[in-house]
Amino acid sequence: MLGISLLWALACGYCLFFCYALAQGCCTRRLLQVSLAGIRTVAPILCVFVIIGMLTASWRASGSIAWLVTVCLQVMEPSFFLPCAFLVNCLLSWQLGSSFATAATLGIITMSAGNALHIAPWLTAGSILAGIYFGDRGSPMSTSALLVATVTATNIYDNVRLMAKTGLPALAASIAVYAAISFFLHPEGELPDTAAIFARAFALHPVLALPALLLLVLAFAKVRVHLAMLASTVLALVLCLCWQDVPLADLPSLLINGFAARDGDVARLLNGGGILSMAEVGGIVCLSSTYAGLFRESLLLQVLVPMVSALARRWNAFVPSLVLGFLTAAISCNQTLAIMLTQQLTTSLGLDKRRQAIDLEDSAVVAPALVPWSIACAIPLQMFEAPLTAIPFAVYLWLLPLSRLFFTPCPGKNRG
């Protein structure tokens, strides 16, 4: 509400929980040790964050994102705008692995297209919100997917395959819901001509899709994520030099500070990326990683363990993850801490690692996007200038946990 970075809230929270642990009789040295141990756990992710910053900057500067966005809008059919809006944002978010990057590019453009067609903003924003978190959950380039794989000690490509399996019913149902709603809409006007806007800054050509295609091929070949992203970044930088005539001397600044277009309209849609753009999210992950150790040492969350066991006995092993995902997202206001706290609390269920990973992906990863005051929900809606009434229309984010709860079988078995 105050526009203050979540880092300050997390830092104050760390001090409070540290003091609480001291009051419970924990030793200062031990608390510092478990805090550092949490940071070491997520250290590999922080390295990947650096690569993601370089990747997004190079894709923006090479024109790859501009070309992908233009193609996505060209295939959209106004009479079926909502399912098209959902699917194109699914596609780009899976390629980028980032909900915010997708929201800040194709999401804003899709919202403008919906306004131009006189479609209710809550419908358009809901379909976009669902689409941007499709890739945030299921892409091997996603920071949340990398975090889940890290804290559960699982293979990210195995997790992606499981996510495709458990997410398919919700994806199909979402398309059907948006298509059904579209029958009652009567779009007017025309879609915006983004090709003309982007042509001011880039030489648009299908060759600009190569970095995205390379990333896709390497992902299917199960090449390590950081190596796949580095290879795509290098190819995008080559396109910057050879296709967009970016001076070689500008590349270091591009990778560190991100892309900055000279044209105002292009800048509004594409500026960003770079290593520095990942600093805040890296800080959030670091601070969040220290909480788990403090809670474990102070036994602060032990009161919830009986509830976890009771929910699992009364319903099934997925229900505790779903309840805790929403609860921790509502308290922490961010996706990272929701994932880490839910993982810590559900460890007592004795699930195998793959089962715990997919349960987290279908609960704690998507739950923050449905909590109005969480940054995962508030920031995209602020970008779209959309009301909170858009949240119920992000149907994929609702249908995914519901399908897991009632219909979709889960891999893995309880050990205990």
Side-chain angles (χ1 to χ4, degrees):
M1 290 175 62
L2 299 177
I4 301 172
S5 170
L6 188 64
L7 281 172
W8 293 105
L10 288 172
C12 291
Y14 176 82
C15 295
L16 290 171
F17 291 130
F18 194 95
C19 293
Y20 173 81
L22 289 176
Q24 293 299 109
C26 300
C27 120
T28 302
R29 182 176 179 180
R30 175 60 182 165
L31 294 178
L32 292 174
Q33 286 176 341
V34 296
S35 298
L36 290 174
I39 295 175
R40 283 196 295 269
T41 300
V42 299
I45 300 177
L46 301 179
C47 296
V48 175
F49 282 0
V50 173
I51 300 173
I52 290 174
M54 295 190 296
L55 175 76
T56 55
S58 63
W59 278 30
R60 293 168 196 262
S62 66
S64 293
I65 292 180
W67 190 85
L68 289 171
V69 167
T70 300
V71 171
C72 285
L73 282 183
Q74 287 175 347
V75 300
M76 294 182 73
E77 173 57 47
S79 58
F80 284 95
F81 177 78
L82 290 181
C84 288
F86 170 62
L87 287 173
V88 295
N89 280 280
C90 285
L91 176 63
L92 188 62
S93 67
W94 199 93
Q95 277 288 337
L96 298 178
S98 170
S99 55
F100 285 3
T102 307
T105 52
L106 183 58
I108 291 176
I109 295 173
T110 309
M111 193 69 200
S112 299
N115 292 336
L117 295 174
H118 302 289
I119 293 174
W122 54 87
L123 290 176
T124 304
S127 65
I128 299 170
L129 187 65
I132 65 176
Y133 279 100
F134 173 85
D136 187 273
R137 166 188 175 266
S139 170
M141 277 64 69
S142 165
T143 55
S144 65
L146 289 166
L147 179 61
V148 169
T150 300
V151 298
T152 58
T154 51
N155 181 276
I156 190 168
Y157 288 118
D158 291 340
N159 293 347
V160 167
R161 284 199 301 274
L162 291 176
M163 283 186 273
K165 179 180 178 181
T166 62
L168 185 59
L171 177 64
S174 299
I175 297 171
V177 169
Y178 288 131
I181 295 175
S182 295
F183 279 113
F184 299 95
L185 302 177
H186 302 286
E188 302 173 357
E190 297 180 352
L191 294 172
D193 185 6
T194 56
I197 296 174
F198 290 138
R200 303 174 195 167
F202 304 104
L204 296 177
H205 190 275
V207 72
L208 300 178
L210 289 178
L213 291 175
L214 176 62
L215 193 60
L216 190 63
V217 169
L218 295 178
F220 279 113
K222 296 185 180 181
V223 174
R224 290 188 178 184
V225 172
H226 65 284
L227 295 178
M229 289 191 289
L230 279 175
S232 180
T233 300
V234 171
L235 180 55
L237 291 176
V238 171
L239 290 175
C240 287
L241 296 172
C242 302
W243 201 266
Q244 306 298 351
D245 297 324
V246 176
L248 180 62
D250 291 351
L251 295 187
S253 177
L254 168 70
L255 295 175
I256 296 172
N257 300 311
F259 174 68
R262 296 177 181 176
D263 184 277
D265 292 331
V266 176
R268 182 172 55 85
L269 296 173
L270 283 185
N271 274 11
I275 295 172
L276 293 182
S277 71
M278 302 301 294
E280 183 170 7
V281 68
I284 290 173
V285 170
C286 273
L287 281 171
S288 298
S289 69
T290 64
Y291 278 50
L294 294 182
F295 292 160
R296 185 173 58 252
E297 291 297 314
S298 64
L299 304 179
L300 180 62
L301 299 181
Q302 285 300 108
V303 67
L304 295 177
V305 173
M307 182 194 76
V308 170
S309 301
L311 286 172
R313 286 194 304 270
R314 177 66 178 83
W315 298 96
N316 58 52
F318 176 66
V319 172
S321 291
L322 184 58
V323 172
L324 289 169
F326 276 99
L327 179 63
T328 54
I331 294 172
S332 66
C333 304
N334 77 101
Q335 190 184 55
T336 301
L337 198 50
I339 292 170
M340 301 190 78
L341 293 183
T342 302
Q343 186 273 333
Q344 181 182 0
L345 288 167
T346 54
T347 299
S348 61
L349 295 175
L351 302 175
D352 70 30
K353 294 178 179 179
R354 293 201 322 161
R355 172 61 191 274
Q356 188 181 39
I358 195 62
D359 283 357
L360 289 172
E361 293 287 1
D362 295 344
S363 58
V365 170
V366 297
L370 296 171
V371 176
W373 54 87
S374 168
I375 60 172
C377 177
I379 289 181
L381 291 184
Q382 185 179 30
M383 291 179 185
F384 308 148
E385 298 182 0
L388 292 177
T389 49
I391 298 175
F393 294 97
V395 293
Y396 175 77
L397 302 181
W398 294 107
L399 292 176
L400 177 63
L402 289 176
S403 67
R404 276 295 311 275
L405 195 59
F406 296 109
F407 304 113
T408 311
C410 306
K413 298 180 180 179
N414 290 12
R415 288 198 301 264

